[in-house]
Amino acid sequence: MDNLKTREEEVSEDQPVTSSRPSAGTGILRRQLLATSLAGLGASLVVGRAVAQARKFPDRPIKIIVPFPAGGGIDAFARLVGEKLRQTRGFATVIENRPGANGTIGGVAVRDAEPDGYTILFSASTHVMAQQVMKHAPYDPIADFSAIARVGEAPMMLVMSPKMAPRNITELVAEARKQPDQWTFATAALGSPGHLATIAFNHLSGLNLKIVTYRGTAPALNDVAGGHVQLLIDPVLALLPMANGNQVKGLAVTSAKRTALAPEYPTAAESGLPGLEQSTWYGVWGPRKLPADLVAELSATINAAVEELDKEGRLATLGIERVSENPAQLEQFSKRYVERSAELLKAAGFEPT
C-alpha cells in the first residue's frame, strides 16, 4: 500500500491542481477588470462627445473683415458671399469694414485674431502688395496669413471727371501732355489693382501724372465726380453705376475684350492705349495658425457659395468672373502676382511710401 499513490497524489507531484470553482481572489480580479473596462469606455464616450462638440463649426457668427469702406467693389462682393453662406449653410456672418493704412488696419485685425475660423479677411490683390508699396508694412501678407481661397476676377474701368472735355484716351493723353499739372489720378490704395493700372497707364502713355491715394474706392470716386481729381481706374463693379448715371465719364475698360456687363464701353486699346490690360482679383485669408481642417472647410464652403452666386447670375451683374482656387493655389498665385507687380513698380521708378 505504501508504494501505491492515489490519482490526486500523482497529479499534485506533476502539476498544480486546477479547481473548477473560482477562488475569492479570482472573482475580485474579474470585478476589477470589468470596472476598469467600463470606466475606460465611459471616459472614451465623454472624450468623444467633447471632441465632436469641439469640432462643431461654426457655433457663432463669422466676422468677415473688409479692409476698405462700405460701398466699394470689395465690400459689395463680400456682402454677397456672406449672405450666400447664410442661405446655403446657415452660417451667421458679420461684415466689418476696417479701412485705413492702405488696407493694413483690417489686415492687422485678422492677423492678430484667434486662429479659430471666426475672423477672416475678404480683400483684393491689394492685400498681397503691402510690402512692395509701404516702407514699413506691418506684416508679411503671405507668410503671416493662412490663404483660404481665391474667388473672383474682374476687369477695371478708367473714368474721368465730367468737367473734363476728352471723349477717349487718345484725346486725354493729348490734353494731359499740354497741361500735365491739370490732371491728377485718384487711387483707392497703394498697390491696389487700380494703382498698378494707373502706373501702367503713365508708363504706356509716356506721362507722369500725379497719383493721390484715398482710403478706398468710394471717396476717390466721389472726388472724381466732383472734379477735385480728374481720373480713376478701379473695378468695373464699383464704377459702372456712376458711369452709367453720367456722374463720371467712362472712357474704357482695362481688358483685352469688352465686358459683357457693359459692352458699350470700349477697351483701352480701342480708346487709344494698347497694352493697358489689368484686372483685379479677390481672395480670402485667415490668421497664420488657422488649423488645416478649418482652412479646408472654409475654402470649400466659400468656393461653393461663390459658385452658387455665379449660377444665379449675381456675379455677372457685378462684372466678376468666378475663380475657384484652394489655399495652395491662392498662395502660389499670390507669389507670382507679387513678382510680376514688383517688376512693373520697378520699371516705373515707384518708391514705397
Side-chain angles (χ1 to χ4, degrees):
M1 294 294 294
D2 293 339
N3 294 330
L4 296 177
K5 296 183 179 179
T6 65
R7 176 61 182 163
E8 288 183 357
E9 289 173 330
E10 290 177 352
V11 170
S12 65
E13 289 181 357
D14 296 334
Q15 56 187 17
V17 176
T18 302
S19 172
S20 60
R21 297 177 56 191
S23 67
T26 301
I28 293 172
L29 179 60
R30 286 180 177 175
R31 286 194 294 273
Q32 289 176 338
L33 289 173
L34 178 60
T36 301
S37 298
L38 290 173
L41 177 60
S44 297
L45 291 173
V46 171
V47 172
R49 285 195 298 271
V51 170
Q53 291 171 356
R55 288 178 179 173
K56 183 181 178 182
F57 176 86
D59 59 7
R60 64 179 188 272
I62 296 174
K63 185 186 300 181
I64 302 176
I65 291 185
V66 175
F68 297 101
I74 300 171
D75 178 71
F77 193 7
R79 291 179 188 277
L80 278 182
V81 173
E83 177 62 17
K84 183 55 64 176
L85 289 174
R86 184 192 67 79
Q87 292 174 355
T88 59
R89 296 294 300 274
F91 286 11
T93 60
V94 177
I95 306 297
E96 185 173 306
N97 298 92
R98 293 277 194 98
N102 207 53
T104 60
I105 288 179
V108 166
V110 174
R111 181 201 63 182
D112 295 344
E114 288 295 321
D116 54 12
Y118 289 98
T119 304
I120 58 177
L121 180 72
F122 194 106
S123 191
S125 45
T126 309
H127 170 68
V128 301
M129 291 297 296
Q131 289 185 310
Q132 275 60 49
V133 299
M134 301 176 72
K135 280 185 178 179
H136 305 291
Y139 48 64
D140 182 322
I142 295 177
D144 291 342
F145 292 81
S146 296
I148 294 174
R150 193 166 80 96
V151 293
E153 290 183 339
M156 291 182 287
M157 174 181 276
L158 168 63
V159 297
M160 183 178 68
S161 167
K163 298 181 179 181
M164 309 305 286
R167 295 168 296 176
N168 52 50
I169 294 179
T170 299
E171 294 180 4
L172 161 61
V173 171
E175 288 295 319
R177 282 195 176 126
K178 294 176 185 177
Q179 295 181 304
D181 59 332
Q182 299 298 308
W183 294 86
T184 299
F185 265 104
T187 189
L190 291 176
S192 68
H195 179 227
L196 296 174
T198 300
I199 290 174
F201 180 98
N202 273 339
H203 182 68
L204 292 167
S205 66
L207 296 170
N208 188 26
L209 302 183
K210 183 180 179 181
I211 302 172
V212 176
T213 306
Y214 283 75
R215 294 179 64 181
T217 300
L221 182 57
N222 287 335
D223 268 9
V224 174
H228 305 295
V229 289
Q230 291 69 49
L231 301 165
L232 171 66
I233 300 176
D234 222 51
V236 170
L237 65 97
L239 307 188
L240 190 59
M242 290 186 71
N244 285 344
N246 296 317
Q247 294 167 282
V248 294
K249 287 185 180 180
L251 295 185
V253 292
T254 64
S255 50
K257 59 182 181 180
R258 297 192 183 201
T259 174
L261 179 63
E264 66 272 23
Y265 293 98
T267 66
E270 291 172 333
S271 189
L273 193 60
L276 185 61
E277 296 180 10
Q278 298 279 332
S279 64
T280 185
W281 56 270
Y282 305 94
V284 184
W285 293 265
R288 183 171 64 88
K289 294 184 179 181
L290 192 61
D293 59 336
L294 282 180
V295 170
E297 181 174 354
L298 284 167
S299 181
T301 302
I302 290 170
N303 274 318
V306 174
E307 183 178 9
E308 286 296 315
L309 290 170
D310 188 39
K311 289 178 179 178
E312 294 170 0
R314 306 284 296 281
L315 298 188
T317 63
L318 297 178
I320 297 174
E321 294 183 5
R322 181 175 74 92
V323 173
S324 182
E325 289 190 355
N326 62 33
Q329 290 170 323
L330 169 57
E331 184 165 342
Q332 289 303 312
F333 181 91
S334 297
K335 290 177 180 178
R336 293 194 301 269
Y337 179 84
V338 169
E339 290 175 3
R340 293 194 306 269
S341 299
E343 291 174 1
L344 173 61
L345 293 172
K346 183 178 180 181
F350 175 82
E351 294 292 334
T353 59

